[in-house]
Amino acid sequence: MKTLALLLCLVLWPAAAFSAAGESLRTGDGLLFYGSGMVERLLESGDLEARLHLAHPDKKLRIRSLAWTGDEVGYRLRPEGYVEHLKTLLAAWPAQVVVLGYGMNESFAGAAGLPAFRAQYQVYLREIARRHPGAKLVLLSPIAIEERSTTATAERNRDVALYTQAIAELAREHRADFIDLFAASRDAYARSAEPLTTQGIHLNAAGTRTIADAIARSLLGDAAPAATASPRL
């Protein structure tokens, strides 16, 4: 019953309290994305960036990614000398909106890993606030596990739901916006005639388009282009 109540809470949670952000974006504003494989894939595909530009073609938004596949909030391996390289990138990429997408990799630790995840995310959010003073923060949840692409989905989705709830609570604590991709992806899986992932967790081309649309609608509200719009600049 507790799991069911948690899932219902997540489904009913608004996609984000960010519907007016599109109106507040200014010419030349920067949107910087951090996260793991899902975020890296979303930015590499071009679908999300295209939708943001289509909504505001006159604002010349600067969209950049510092996402790395395999990253976790408390575990981010980088080559020697990367700290200085990062300083150069941050100086070149000032951000007014910072989007963070973590939780899928960490969810494999199950409920036992939640305290460490919360503590590490708290530290990471303080570091992000130091790097980007005054920037708007947006936290993405991980997507749900797709049943037709893998097995043991019920148990895995219980874990992902716990981490999604933890991220939602962190967003409230830090006055950040929250985009519930767990609920959005479960709804998309139910409506789609084709798989949206490989192995249940990696977005394929169709899944990338679908999740990019969900993020764009949450970030931009009414300004977001229709899902049927061609994502070409």
Side-chain angles (χ1 to χ4, degrees):
M1 288 299 292
K2 289 183 179 179
T3 299
L4 177 59
L6 173 59
L7 292 175
L8 286 173
C9 175
L10 293 170
V11 168
L12 293 173
W13 183 284
F18 209 66
S19 60
E23 298 175 3
S24 65
L25 288 172
R26 299 165 298 181
T27 298
D29 270 359
L31 290 85
L32 183 57
F33 289 75
Y34 293 85
S36 190
M38 180 191 73
V39 177
E40 188 173 31
R41 195 169 286 111
L42 282 166
L43 272 294
E44 285 181 348
S45 75
D47 291 291
L48 177 56
E49 183 172 356
R51 294 196 180 283
L52 297 173
H53 282 301
L54 283 168
H56 296 289
D58 59 325
K59 292 187 175 179
K60 296 181 172 57
L61 300 176
R62 296 172 296 102
I63 299 163
R64 301 289 186 266
S65 174
L66 286 171
W68 285 54
T69 293
D71 269 7
E72 299 180 6
V73 289
Y75 185 78
R76 299 179 300 281
L77 288 177
R78 295 294 185 272
E80 185 177 356
Y82 183 80
V83 172
E84 293 304 315
H85 178 57
L86 178 61
K87 290 179 182 177
T88 302
L89 293 178
L90 294 177
W93 298 348
Q96 287 68 46
V97 179
V98 176
V99 183
L100 308 176
Y102 296 97
M104 177 60 80
N105 294 344
E106 294 91 335
S107 71
F108 283 94
L114 274 172
F117 175 70
R118 289 174 185 271
Q120 290 165 356
Y121 216 148
Q122 292 278 17
V123 172
Y124 189 61
L125 286 167
R126 290 195 291 271
E127 170 62 17
I128 290 296
R130 184 193 65 80
R131 289 183 192 176
H132 307 284
K136 182 69 176 178
L137 294 182
V138 182
L139 308 190
L140 307 177
S141 82
I143 60 172
I145 312 301
E146 187 176 25
E147 184 174 0
R148 58 186 154 195
S149 298
T150 188
T151 58
T153 54
E155 180 179 353
R156 283 290 296 121
N157 273 327
R158 282 195 292 271
D159 289 338
V160 177
L162 290 172
Y163 282 75
T164 295
Q165 180 65 17
I167 294 167
E169 292 168 357
L170 286 165
R172 285 198 295 271
E173 291 173 20
H174 289 264
R175 298 186 177 181
D177 289 319
F178 171 67
I179 299 181
D180 186 356
L181 297 181
F182 181 81
S185 59
R186 282 170 66 95
D187 181 59
Y189 300 154
R191 290 185 286 102
S192 178
E194 60 179 332
L196 299 181
T197 68
T198 58
Q199 298 179 322
I201 61 173
H202 304 297
L203 294 171
N204 59 24
T208 296
R209 289 191 297 271
T210 299
I211 296 304
D213 178 65
I215 295 172
R217 284 187 286 107
S218 293
L219 289 175
L220 300 169
D222 294 339
T228 55
S230 175
R232 296 176 182 173
L233 298 178

